[in-house]
Amino acid sequence: MDKKWKEEVKLQLDNVLSKYSKKSLNFVSLSKQWNIQITIYIIVAIIFIALAFEVFAQIMGIAGVILGLVIFFVFIITAIVMTSITIKTKKIKKKILTEINVNDIYKNAFEEESDNKIIVTSISKNFDVPILSLLPTVGKNYNDIIINMEIRGIKYSLGSVTNCVTTTYVDSKGRTITRTTFTRYPFLTIELNESLNIETTIKSLKKPFLGIFKHKDNTELESMDFEKMYFVNANDQIAIRKLLTPKIMADLIDEGSKRPIPKLFIKNNFLTFSFPEYIVDSLKAPNGIFTVLNFTNKIDKMFDEICDKILGDFQTFKNYKRWFNIYQIET
């Protein structure tokens, strides 16, 4: 184990697991497999009702019916017991994860993985560097978990916002249907030490017909190829040309041909990067939420899952910050 923060994870995890009996932890490890087995039991029981009763009755008469009922109830009772244990072990999993000091581990991990360049100032529901634009305007927006950091005096907030949109409609049978769609939007916000003296929105757009038409915005830049791929609105034409130099536009054209480009909003010394959104099942779905540990395997794999989650979030921050570096903003 070559990292101090991993030793801390191991120590905390061992301390938490020591509070539970070996029997309880074995149930936790088995419960994932039991979810599948319970489904199989129920399916078999239903098939048994439909087919086996008649066969047993024809062969053994009343005794066959009784035997069929006994076997059926054994299936059902087994399924109920396994379901109750599964529910209990889910609560144990959740409790184990909540007892781990995630904030301290993330703070130490980000600092160590960055050679002490990153200082994690807080992990909360708030963006210390606010989102000034690019939020969805329909439905309700809810902050997930945000990691607030500082690197050489520049402040960063890494997090996501989940947007909830509820729609009601009448289907072909006259029934009123209400559905809620949950969409998660990752953000990286940055507060610079000095103002860029500009307010601008930059975002990539779908290629226009035949790629020969410029999108309607309020800027005239030096690269026609760039203007075919990007929408740029700015309040200062001189400042936007200083920001989007020929070199930077060439890099953005190259990047835009390979992968989705995040939207960028700049207002003086505040930057907001909005990355591609994705659909989730619910407001509390863990998918993509930073720092949220989601234990899915056996107990002996828990340490690896926690470490992988932390390293994954750290790599995501590096990938997001890379776009800040592409713009070559002097800090």
Side-chain angles (χ1 to χ4, degrees), residues 1 6 15 18 20 58 82 84 94 99 105 126 131 147 180 196 219 229 238 245 264 281 283-285 300 311 316 319:
M1 199 175 298
K6 289 187 177 181
N15 288 339
S18 66
Y20 298 90
Q58 290 177 355
M82 294 177 71
S84 64
K94 185 175 181 181
E99 289 185 26
I105 291 175
N126 300 313
I131 299 173
I147 306 174
T180 301
L196 298 175
T219 58
M229 293 179 63
I238 296 176
T245 64
L264 171 61
D281 294 333
L283 187 62
K284 294 183 178 181
D300 58 357
L311 289 173
T316 297
N319 293 341

Side-chain angles (χ1 to χ4, degrees), residues 186 202-207 229-230 251-264 273-278 319-324 326-327:
I202 304 170
K203 56 184 179 180
S204 64
L205 297 172
K206 293 181 179 179
K207 292 183 179 180
M229 293 179 63
Y230 288 87
D251 289 344
L252 287 171
I253 291 171
D254 181 58
E255 292 293 336
S257 65
K258 298 176 182 176
R259 57 183 63 86
I261 303 296
K263 300 172 185 175
L264 171 61
F273 284 95
S274 175
F275 294 86
E277 69 275 9
Y278 50 93
N319 293 341
Y320 285 3
K321 186 177 178 295
R322 175 175 170 271
W323 293 105
F324 173 65
I326 287 175
Y327 280 93

